[in-house]
């Protein structure tokens, strides 16, 4: 079935929902950018004080916290944990790059 075969009211609702999704996606990207600005500052502070790029205790607390938030928001906690683990891995990579004396790729 092509979109031209869909009832106009369904197509209108689909468009409305997709526009909302697009707006949420944009907000997520901007929030991630803000988060990474903060973690860059953490990376510089860690490098200045010879602290390790990773903090497993903090990461475990954050994962537990995010899993609880996900549950209360009716989001799969396993998905939330996977997402946070992906973000944490990128943050650690940035911190390792900063500690090595250069800016992370795509960052000033």
């Amino acid at each position: 079935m092509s979109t031209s075969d869909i009832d106009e009211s369904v197509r209108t609702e689909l468009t409305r929902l997709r526009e909302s999704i697009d707006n949420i996606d944009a907000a997520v990207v901007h929030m991630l950018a803000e988060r990474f600005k903060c973690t860059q500052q953490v990376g510089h502070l860690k490098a200045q004080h010879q602290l390790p790029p990773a903090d497993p205790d903090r990461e475990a607390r954050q994962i537990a916290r995010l899993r609880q938030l996900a549950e209360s928001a009716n989001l799969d906690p396993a998905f939330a944990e996977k997402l946070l683990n992906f973000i944490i891995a990128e943050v650690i990579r940035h911190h390792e790059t900063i500690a090595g004396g250069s800016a992370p790729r795509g960052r000033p």
Side-chain angles (χ1 to χ4, degrees):
M1 175 182 281
S2 73
T3 54
S4 61
D5 297 333
I6 299 173
D7 181 85
E8 183 62 33
S9 65
V10 173
R11 190 180 354 207
T12 299
E13 181 67 0
L14 188 59
T15 299
R16 184 190 68 76
L17 290 168
R18 286 178 172 167
E19 287 172 353
S20 291
I21 291 167
D22 293 350
N23 289 336
I24 293 165
D25 288 346
V28 167
V29 167
H30 287 285
M31 292 301 295
L32 282 171
E34 285 301 311
R35 187 185 197 286
F36 279 108
K37 284 179 188 175
C38 292
T39 61
Q40 292 296 317
Q41 293 174 4
V42 169
H44 287 288
L45 189 60
K46 284 181 172 184
Q48 289 169 358
H49 296 279
Q50 292 81 44
L51 297 171
D55 184 344
D57 291 337
R58 161 97 173 138
E59 293 157 20
R61 287 190 310 273
Q62 284 298 95
I63 288 169
R65 180 178 160 273
L66 195 69
R67 286 184 67 92
Q68 288 178 336
L69 288 170
E71 284 181 28
S72 68
N74 294 319
L75 180 67
D76 179 2
F79 170 77
E81 182 174 345
K82 287 177 191 175
L83 178 61
L84 187 60
N85 281 327
F86 180 76
I87 292 168
I88 288 170
E90 184 68 5
V91 168
I92 292 169
R93 187 184 69 76
H94 288 185
H95 290 183
E96 290 169 343
T97 301
I98 291 167
S102 60
R105 181 175 50 92
R107 308 298 298 174

